[in-house]
């Protein structure tokens, strides 16, 4: 348990939440500040900061529950679609520094929008970026 971490407290049952699922590894509950009705969070019980900090086997167990959770959430609010987001770092809009997936149900006209100013990847940059990222992966393993 990380000192002062609100999600550690929720995982330990020390702070209440509207829980939808729990097992030995994880808890899922409604977001207290939903961007749309049904906005749900999924967290490991153990404290990891985000995707940059979590062991592969932990995140793979947690993400294995996402299809079940997302299907249940969107069916209740009668949405045909959803985002599954994992903000990692303050620059990426992470405000609670305990790993969490957001499940955000989506339907046309729901008033929620994610800005996505798509650019254009040119072949030279694409080749170089792909090579650098592949090399970085080999260095860190
Ligand atoms: P982030 O910006 O870190 O990706 O998202 C953190 C989310 O946690 C926000 O959507 C916020 O509304 C939610 N949140 C923060 N504190 C609490 C809390 O005490 N209880 C619940 N249920 N959600 C919380
Ligand atoms: Zn925590």
């Amino acid at each position: 348990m990380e000192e002062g971490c609100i999600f550690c407290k929720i995982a330990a049952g020390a702070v209440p939440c509207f829980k939808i699922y729990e097992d030995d590894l994880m808890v899922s509950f409604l977001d207290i500040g939903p961007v749309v009705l049904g906005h749900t969070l999924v967290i490991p019980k153990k404290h990891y900061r985000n995707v940059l900090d979590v062991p592969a086997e932990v995140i793979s167990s947690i993400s294995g529950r996402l299809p079940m959770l997302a299907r249940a959430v969107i069916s209740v609010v009668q949405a045909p679609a959803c985002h599954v987001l994992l903000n990692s770092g303050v620059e990426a809009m992470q405000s609670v520094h305990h790993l969490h997936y957001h499940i955000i149900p989506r339907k046309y006209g729901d008033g929620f929008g994610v800005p996505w100013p798509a650019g254009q990847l040119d072949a030279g940059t694409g080749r170089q970026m792909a090579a650098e990222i592949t090399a970085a992966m080999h260095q860190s393993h």
Side-chain angles (χ1 to χ4, degrees):
M1 182 140 161
E2 181 93 349
E3 185 79 27
C5 174
I6 184 71
F7 286 180
C8 280
K9 290 178 186 155
I10 288 175
V15 164
C17 67
F18 294 105
K19 194 183 295 176
I20 65 169
Y21 177 81
E22 178 173 15
D23 62 26
D24 51 341
L25 206 67
M26 57 184 275
V27 189
S28 180
F29 51 94
L30 296 179
D31 193 298
I32 206 169
V35 292
V36 295
L37 189 63
H39 184 169
T40 296
L41 300 173
V42 183
I43 68 167
K45 285 188 171 170
K46 222 176 141 199
H47 185 91
Y48 300 102
R49 266 182 301 125
N50 54 42
V51 76
L52 306 171
D53 180 47
V54 66
E57 56 284 5
V58 173
I59 198 163
S60 87
S61 309
I62 293 164
S63 48
R65 298 291 189 206
L66 288 170
M68 170 189 80
L69 292 165
R71 285 194 286 254
V73 167
I74 71 169
S75 74
V76 167
V77 295
Q78 295 177 341
C82 66
H83 297 287
V84 176
L85 301 177
L86 201 178
N87 298 331
S88 293
V90 285
E91 297 83 352
M93 292 170 54
Q94 184 177 14
S95 62
V96 176
H97 299 282
H98 178 129
L99 188 150
H100 52 280
Y101 284 103
H102 295 260
I103 299 173
I104 303 175
R106 293 304 310 271
K107 47 182 138 180
Y108 288 134
D110 61 17
F112 179 64
V114 184
W116 199 278
Q120 177 81 48
L121 182 66
D122 68 79
T125 309
R127 246 191 316 277
Q128 188 183 338
M129 285 303 300
E132 283 183 23
I133 294 166
T134 302
M137 251 186 292
H138 290 137
Q139 275 159 22
S140 64
H141 284 95

